[in-house]
Amino acid sequence: MSGGWTARAEHLPEVMDDPRCDPVGLERTYAAFDTVNRVVSGWRPVYTRDLRPWLIRPGGATLLDIGCGGGDVARHLARWARRDGLKLRITAIDADARAIAYATEQPPEPGVTYRQALSGDLRTEGQHFDLVISNHLLHHLSGPELTALLADTEALCTGLAVHGDIERHPLAYAVFRAATARTFPGSFIHVDGLRSIRRSYTHAELAAVAPPGWAARRQFPFRNLLTWHSGEPKANPSGARMSNRPDRGDGRA
Ligand SMILES: C[S@@+](CC[C@H](N)C(=O)[O-])C[C@H]1O[C@@H](n2cnc3c(N)ncnc32)[C@H](O)[C@@H]1O
């Protein structure tokens, strides 16, 4: 393990961000995200605890996934909602045309649409979503880019926002290095994953840069969740939503 752990290794480039990287390796990386995210990203508890209460209303809910990559998190969320008999319309965006091309080639998931865009593009269009999420996006961003993303999120989100990412820790690095040394051959998972861990925030760092209204939470194993909500409506402990405003139910997105 090289380098110190006292600061983010923001300078470390990820292979997948290189526009000239091997396209076959990139496709294998998008494909591997599905497995990696199932194992480490913890979206099932986030869905059950944080997102699902917002879906329990006649019109369902809309969700924006920013930096969706291959789109696997969006597809899983759509599947879980459908199995729960809940309506969820997801817009999954990525800045990289290669990611959107990969995502649209996957077996279609009802309720999920993909689009090449930045969060700022949707904000300019005046779009709104009940829920806004991202996975493994925060560590990609510089300080000013993070500030812009969170401002965009507040403008786009009428309900709850959850940005999930890795928590930088030497133990996470050691475990990931051992676990991926021989798995996902021909992909960038090993090298980019290790660099991503070193680029990521510690919980204390994320809490320190979180603007007013945002909360940094931890989730096992080695996860940071940066969350924000509009203040209403709130979920009650039983999972049913309580609202102190009329249900718009207007299918915004
Ligand atoms: C590490 S990948 C994560 C992909 C996916 N969310 C996942 O967890 O598998 C980060 C993605 O964010 C995209 N990205 C980076 N900055 C972005 C931005 N400002 N707006 C939209 N997408 C962005 C990159 O193109 C890349 O596909």
Side-chain angles (χ1 to χ4, degrees), residues 16 33 37 67-69 72 94-96 117-118 135-137 140-141:
M16 65 175 293
F33 279 158
N37 285 331
C68 66
D72 54 282
D94 200 288
D96 194 327
L118 295 162
N135 187 59
H136 295 167
L137 175 60
H140 267 266
L141 308 176

Side-chain angles (χ1 to χ4, degrees), residues 182-229:
R182 288 188 177 72
T183 46
F184 311 115
S187 80
F188 310 140
I189 289 292
H190 186 66
V191 62
D192 276 0
L194 292 176
R195 290 179 180 184
S196 295
I197 293 169
R198 294 198 48 213
R199 287 183 62 100
S200 295
Y201 294 84
T202 63
H203 175 258
E205 287 168 349
L206 198 57
V209 298
W214 287 85
R217 286 163 35 191
R218 296 176 91 187
Q219 181 169 289
F220 179 83
F222 303 114
R223 303 293 298 171
N224 280 321
L225 300 175
L226 191 59
T227 63
W228 176 91
H229 65 82

Side-chain angles (χ1 to χ4, degrees), residues 67-151:
C68 66
D72 54 282
V73 171
R75 288 191 292 277
H76 283 297
L77 291 173
R79 233 169 270 147
W80 295 332
R82 195 170 59 253
R83 284 185 200 147
D84 287 339
L86 299 169
K87 194 167 175 191
L88 178 61
R89 283 147 293 150
I90 300 180
T91 302
I93 64 169
D94 200 288
D96 194 327
R98 301 169 301 177
I100 297 303
Y102 176 87
T104 51
E105 282 163 12
Q106 302 315 299
E109 189 64 42
V112 181
T113 56
Y114 307 100
R115 179 179 163 191
Q116 185 191 359
L118 295 162
S119 54
D121 298 330
L122 275 61
R123 181 182 181 179
T124 303
E125 293 168 10
Q127 298 220 32
H128 294 102
F129 301 85
D130 299 303
L131 304 162
V132 175
I133 68 152
S134 75
N135 187 59
H136 295 167
L137 175 60
L138 302 185
H139 71 262
H140 267 266
L141 308 176
S142 65
E145 287 171 338
L146 176 68
T147 302
L149 172 78
L150 300 184

